[in-house]
Amino acid sequence: MSLALRPSFGFGDRLGLATPGHIVVVRQTNFAPVFAQQSVRENTRTGRTPQQVMDDAKRAVEVAKWDLPWGADADHLKSVEDIPPFVEAGYTFFTIDPGEYVDNSADTDSLDVLKQKVRSTNWEEVSTFYSNQGDEQTWGPFDVELLMRAVVKYGKVIQHAAMMFQYLSQMKDEFDFEISVDETESPTTPLEHYFIASELTRLGVRFTSLAPRFSGRFEKGVDYIGDLNVLDAELAKHAAVTAHFGTYKLSLHSGSDKFSVYPLIAKYWGGRIHVKTAGTSYLEALRVLAKYSPDLFLKIYSLSRECYEIDKRTYHVSAQLDRLPSTNDLPSLLDDFHAREMLHVTFGSVLARFGTELKETLGKYETAYLEGLRAHFEKHLQLFQAQV
Ligand code: ZN
């Protein structure tokens, strides 16, 4: 079933062993959980299928007797071919990543180039529809040039998302549908956000959440990097856009460890949110190893160091290997910015070589893992809890 507009929280679980911990912590909140959640990119790297991810989550749900609604998120779907295995495995939440359809040069194209480019779009219809709109709105008015830039930049994104929605609608009656542009090159302005939401609505796409790309950096597994005052002002405008439509939630991707941002998200959106965390449950597993199985941890750590430069290419991270701390206190590495990011993005290489050993060892320290996950996510959820 769909979670619709309820506040929801996505827990990625790359090992298939973290759901018991997620259940313990989400029980204390009003969030609707998404227990199964893996992107196509993650499945490729972990060698798991959508069905296996689903089975791991289901098993934990049954054991823990979780009887409230929960979701399963097919994350960062790029093309229609990605969809069927997730539908067959019973996923309920579909996140479309149309990032490759963004025309990033639209931000800087000359007027002449823009005029050329809009010829192949539905410009006439769009310019008629949006003229005289938004003059008194927080996100600002469209002048012809801004509208052209938006059409060129996001026109194909909107078409692709609509096509994915139609495809899914033929396979399923009820589902959550999310559009994520969080991994695009430039931030989504509030005006662009308005344009995307408005066009999707016009095309009859019923989406439950939207993930814009905000300014500053939302890197994996670490706190926000950027100016919080600038972000605050920007979020106020995005919140005006979502309030205008009132039909979808704000989705925060790379949502783990963004402790300085949560109060702002809670302030503007209250419970109208979806928060996505992906790899930090894997980092908590490594914390257990650092404490109880230092030899295995060190093997994993040095493999991560070897693979980082290559593995990081499809992720937004800025950790530098020459800034890794030298310490004998292994668990403290899991609190270091550089080590955290390095370990976060190298999971595929690590699981290919040490996956079996890692899971076996973790099985011996189930209670410690549960406790680590509880502490980690409690810190996240507490910052939202007053609002949801
Ligand atoms: Zn994302």
Side-chain angles (χ1 to χ4, degrees), residues 239-287:
V241 177
T242 46
H244 169 82
F245 292 97
T247 48
Y248 62 93
K249 295 183 281 195
L250 188 277
S251 176
L252 184 69
H253 281 221
S254 300
S256 59
D257 299 84
K258 303 300 177 292
F259 300 112
S260 62
V261 175
Y262 302 151
L264 298 178
I265 300 282
K267 171 171 81 169
Y268 290 118
W269 283 279
R272 278 286 175 100
I273 49 170
H274 179 62
V275 181
K276 228 179 255 218
T277 67
T280 42
S281 294
Y282 168 72
L283 291 182
E284 286 309 315
L286 296 186
R287 195 190 294 277

Side-chain angles (χ1 to χ4, degrees), residues 38 117 176 227 297 322 377:
Q38 293 288 285
K117 284 184 175 176
D176 290 307
D227 185 330
F297 178 80
D322 56 12
F377 283 109

Side-chain angles (χ1 to χ4, degrees), residues 207-226:
F207 57 105
T208 26
S209 45
L210 191 144
R213 155 105 202 251
F214 299 120
S215 69
R217 281 160 34 217
F218 287 76
E219 298 191 359
K220 299 286 177 190
V222 295
D223 206 345
Y224 176 69
I225 305 166

Side-chain angles (χ1 to χ4, degrees), residues 7-18:
S8 47
F9 198 96
F11 299 94
D13 176 11
R14 292 167 173 172
L15 301 171
L17 296 169

Side-chain angles (χ1 to χ4, degrees), residues 221-336:
V222 295
D223 206 345
Y224 176 69
I225 305 166
D227 185 330
L228 280 170
N229 290 321
V230 172
L231 184 69
D232 191 351
E234 185 183 310
L235 293 182
K237 293 181 189 172
H238 282 287
V241 177
T242 46
H244 169 82
F245 292 97
T247 48
Y248 62 93
K249 295 183 281 195
L250 188 277
S251 176
L252 184 69
H253 281 221
S254 300
S256 59
D257 299 84
K258 303 300 177 292
F259 300 112
S260 62
V261 175
Y262 302 151
L264 298 178
I265 300 282
K267 171 171 81 169
Y268 290 118
W269 283 279
R272 278 286 175 100
I273 49 170
H274 179 62
V275 181
K276 228 179 255 218
T277 67
T280 42
S281 294
Y282 168 72
L283 291 182
E284 286 309 315
L286 296 186
R287 195 190 294 277
V288 172
L289 300 191
K291 216 166 164 185
Y292 298 104
S293 184
D295 292 345
L296 178 57
F297 178 80
L298 284 171
K299 282 194 270 181
I300 289 173
Y301 191 78
S302 76
L303 181 66
S304 293
R305 191 196 295 235
E306 272 168 47
C307 299
Y308 175 67
E309 293 301 339
I310 289 178
D311 289 356
K312 74 174 187 187
R313 286 181 191 164
T314 53
Y315 286 99
H316 292 284
V317 283
S318 60
Q320 291 166 269
L321 295 182
D322 56 12
R323 295 182 64 186
L324 288 172
S326 53
T327 173
N328 294 323
D329 177 6
L330 300 182
S332 77
L333 290 170
L334 272 307
D335 300 316
D336 174 77

Side-chain angles (χ1 to χ4, degrees), residues 107-124:
D107 287 337
T108 49
D109 280 339
S110 70
L111 256 182
D112 280 348
V113 173
L114 286 174
K115 280 180 189 158
Q116 198 84 40
K117 284 184 175 176
V118 291
R119 278 195 204 142
S120 61
T121 68
N122 57 344
W123 173 248
E124 293 231 331

